[in-house]
Amino acid sequence: MSEVQRSLTMLVYGESKVGKSTFAVTAPYPRLMLDVEGGHRFLPINVKYWDPMREEPPVADGTWDTCVVVVHDYDTVLKAYQWLQMGKHQFKSLIIDSISELQVKCMDSIAGTEAMKMQQWGELLRHMGALLRDLRDLTMHPTAPLEAIVLTAMDSPDREGRHHPYLQGQLKVQAPYFYDILGAIAVESVLNPDPMQPPYKVRRMYVERTDKFEAGERVQGRLGSVIEQENLGVERMLDLVFGPKPTQQ
């Protein structure tokens, strides 16, 4: 399995504080995190800050595992993508946390503080749709392919009670089809084997559609329908789909 082929793109969503960001930073090192929500401060990572508007990507020298771009506006994300597209970087993974907030940044760049007009919704779909497809295609870059692209999103239940990624307009329909995995992360109570003990909580990811969660995958069932807590990591999922990564001499 070549480096270009050994890659996964995923959109994961869930309710607040279920561990979406913690899951995302299990992606292969060195990783780039575009932090739109400001949550990186509480993650178990060694941070190197980067301003793509003013400087080149940092060298992966072993002193950090996650390069963080604090996203204040949509143009910052576009500039970071330009660096990735040029291939002049050492990153193996890209994380955007979250695309729900990024869509708001894009709306701000289009309409400012005004309400979105009809034609501007079409503009939003073109901008965000093109960006999300372009990011996905970075796993097929000819010289600097990424092994993992992990986008997080907020949770939004529909009228029937089924949960979806929180996006607005047609992007809500289109975005889940762009990626290898649409995963719903949930924290659930499990009965304790000892009937004298209370139930305990586990974190799991649904990758197959249920009555409660919109989810899906195109990895031929190699992850099963539910990824349990012990396998809930990006590198572990890469191993499950492609086999263990060959040891470098």
Side-chain angles (χ1 to χ4, degrees):
M1 191 67 64
S2 71
E3 286 294 305
V4 176
Q5 292 172 310
R6 184 187 165 87
S7 63
L8 283 175
T9 62
M10 58 187 79
L11 169 56
V12 298
Y13 72 97
E15 296 179 349
S16 178
K17 310 300 187 293
V18 297
K20 300 183 296 291
S21 304
T22 302
F23 165 78
V25 296
T26 63
Y29 158 88
R31 61 186 80 95
L32 171 62
M33 182 178 196
L34 306 183
D35 185 2
V36 194
E37 297 186 343
H40 74 274
R41 297 167 293 156
F42 310 107
L43 295 174
I45 54 177
N46 293 321
V47 173
K48 171 71 175 180
Y49 289 102
W50 175 41
D51 182 354
M53 307 296 284
R54 300 183 179 182
E55 53 193 353
E56 297 182 354
V59 174
D61 57 6
T63 62
W64 55 271
D65 54 47
T66 307
C67 175
V68 172
V69 174
V70 179
V71 175
H72 297 293
D73 54 52
Y74 189 70
D75 287 344
T76 301
V77 174
L78 295 179
K79 187 64 177 179
Y81 166 73
Q82 289 174 7
W83 282 109
L84 294 172
Q85 201 279 329
M86 285 190 293
K88 297 180 179 179
H89 65 87
Q90 296 177 308
F91 303 123
K92 290 297 181 184
S93 306
L94 169 65
I95 300 161
I96 299 185
D97 190 24
S98 70
I99 61 168
S100 304
E101 286 290 340
L102 181 59
Q103 187 180 37
V104 175
K105 300 287 188 189
C106 187
M107 291 167 64
D108 290 343
S109 71
I110 293 171
T113 59
E114 302 295 324
M116 292 278 287
K117 298 180 174 63
M118 184 65 70
Q119 67 272 21
Q120 290 174 323
W121 283 107
E123 186 178 353
L124 174 69
L125 177 63
R126 287 193 301 275
H127 280 294
M128 283 289 294
L131 176 65
L132 295 181
R133 285 189 296 269
D134 288 344
L135 293 172
R136 172 202 62 192
D137 293 344
L138 289 170
T139 58
M140 298 177 284
H141 194 279
T143 60
L146 297 179
E147 288 184 44
I149 295 173
V150 185
L151 310 183
T152 72
M154 300 175 190
D155 175 273
S156 176
D158 61 21
R159 294 178 181 177
E160 287 73 41
R162 181 178 283 118
H163 295 255
H164 302 257
Y166 178 69
L167 292 165
Q168 298 190 45
Q170 284 299 306
L171 200 64
K172 180 178 181 179
V173 178
Q174 292 185 9
Y177 291 96
F178 294 161
Y179 302 98
D180 299 326
I181 295 168
L182 172 63
I185 296 181
V187 176
E188 299 178 341
S189 292
V190 175
L191 289 176
N192 199 304
D194 183 349
M196 303 300 293
Q197 298 298 320
Y200 60 94
K201 293 186 181 298
V202 297
R203 181 179 292 111
R204 50 171 58 116
M205 181 191 293
Y206 290 84
V207 293
E208 188 176 282
R209 194 173 193 245
T210 70
D211 291 340
K212 185 175 181 181
F213 298 110
E214 189 65 45
E217 52 85 13
R218 54 178 176 223
V219 296
Q220 305 301 312
R222 294 170 187 170
L223 295 171
S225 58
V226 181
I227 303 171
E228 298 294 350
Q229 187 162 288
E230 61 269 20
N231 290 324
L232 195 53
V234 179
E235 293 218 56
R236 176 61 180 151
M237 291 166 65
L238 281 162
D239 288 345
L240 290 171
V241 173
F242 298 100
K245 191 173 184 179
T247 303
Q248 295 182 352
Q249 299 296 321

